[in-house]
Amino acid sequence: MKIIDGTAIAKEMLDELKLQIKETNLSPKLAVILVGDDPASKIYLKSKEAACSHVGIKYEKYLLPNSASQAELLELIKELNESDVNAILLQVPLPKGIDEGTSLEAIDPLKDADGFHPINLGRLLIGDESIAPATPSAVIEILKRINVEISGKHSVIVGRSNIVGKPLAAMLLNRDATVTVCHSKTRNMAKITREADILAVAVGKPHFITPEMVKEGAVVIDVGINRVGDRTVGDVDFEKVKEKASAITPVPGGVGPMTVACLMKHVFLLALAQRG
Ligand code: NAP
């Protein structure tokens, strides 16, 4: 069994990106908007800022108070759309009273760092992955870098969120996997997950996937991030499932750092596309 070192692969990816940015003589600029003071969002933003500084992406932070209105946020997004920033990231969750869909749709699709704009998600569905969400991209990149063949494999995804499960299903389909997506209304889920050659889990429940739900030799990718006491754990019962999997991502140190690395790559690609 192989424990996939997401931190090491992410470092490799960021080092490659740093070189690419230098070679293309670009100076990409990312604007990050945080509304309110969600503590988890602040932690995520710190790691994004550190990655930007590592690869040579300019990082601009725009903080709006918890009390900010929808109109204020839309005004800021409009200004950034018209400015020289190459990529805009709106950190979610947003405070009550601010609609996520309306806000994400206000971002210029060509500056959409997270790839959550409906135009970009629609393009993904028809096979154009030029602006794809970072977390599903991280899962694909991990599989690629550990040489897991996707074509023809049965991939089971647990979770159907718009930011992880659904786009990941499209990306695996784009690579000729046979894809099954499970969710809270799925019946006999263990029977389905046991058929997975590749099992990707994004549920948000600690230790949700137990060894009985995993086929011997499966590749298991755990997207979950859950706080249990003072520990961070995934959605997979790592210690037990690792005995059955041929490869498995730990939490922390799996998909998380790869998500940040993929986000950096996307900012670079947006800047490159804008240069023409
Ligand atoms: P989400 O929007 O809450 O979606 C959770 C999904 O899990 C839903 O589709 C839900 O089904 C399904 N689900 C919930 N309970 C279930 C059950 N008992 N059986 C089967 N399916 C069930 O979550 P998300 O945003 O995709 O995030 C999922 C996890 O990934 C979280 O822990 C989050 O923190 C983590 N995450 C990590 C990264 C990263 O960079 N590593 C990025 C994003 C998210 P229904 O649709 O039927 O409700």
Side-chain angles (χ1 to χ4, degrees), residues 169-249:
M171 292 177 86
L172 288 164
L173 262 183
N174 289 344
R175 287 162 181 75
D176 300 323
T178 301
V179 181
T180 307
V181 182
C182 300
H183 46 79
S184 66
K185 306 289 186 292
T186 299
R187 293 181 190 162
N188 297 325
M189 193 159 61
K191 184 169 177 282
I192 300 168
T193 54
R194 268 200 303 271
E195 285 173 8
D197 301 309
I198 299 169
L199 178 62
V201 192
V203 174
K205 294 202 156 88
H207 297 169
F208 183 79
I209 298 291
T210 55
E212 303 73 49
M213 299 168 82
V214 179
K215 178 165 84 174
E216 194 76 46
V219 174
V220 180
I221 309 289
D222 188 352
V223 178
I225 301 175
N226 308 290
R227 291 296 292 173
V228 176
D230 57 359
R231 288 171 56 231
T232 301
V233 300
D235 290 344
V236 175
D237 187 345
F238 179 81
E239 285 308 321
K240 292 182 182 146
V241 171
K242 78 176 172 22
E243 304 304 328
K244 284 186 102 173
S246 61
I248 183 168
T249 55

Side-chain angles (χ1 to χ4, degrees), residues 253-265:
V255 176
M258 282 301 287
T259 295
V260 178
C262 287
L263 175 73
M264 296 300 117
K265 178 83 183 275

Side-chain angles (χ1 to χ4, degrees), residues 4 8 15 17 30 32-33 37-38 43 68 76 99 106 115 120 157 163 165 167 178 198 212 226 230 237 254 268:
I4 302 163
D15 288 344
L17 183 60
L30 168 68
V32 169
I33 307 172
D37 50 9
D38 178 54
I43 295 171
L76 173 60
D99 183 62
N120 291 323
I157 302 166
I163 63 169
T178 301
I198 299 169
E212 303 73 49
N226 308 290
D230 57 359
D237 187 345
F268 165 66

Side-chain angles (χ1 to χ4, degrees), residues 9 24 28 31 41 59 64 74 88 91-93 121 140 160 162 177 199 208 211 213-214 220 238-239 255 264 270:
I9 309 176
T24 48
S41 292
Y59 178 92
L64 291 181
L74 292 180
I88 303 166
Q91 188 68 38
V92 290
L121 286 173
I140 298 292
R160 57 171 166 178
N162 292 333
L199 178 62
F208 183 79
M213 299 168 82
V214 179
V220 180
F238 179 81
E239 285 308 321
V255 176
M264 296 300 117
L270 291 175

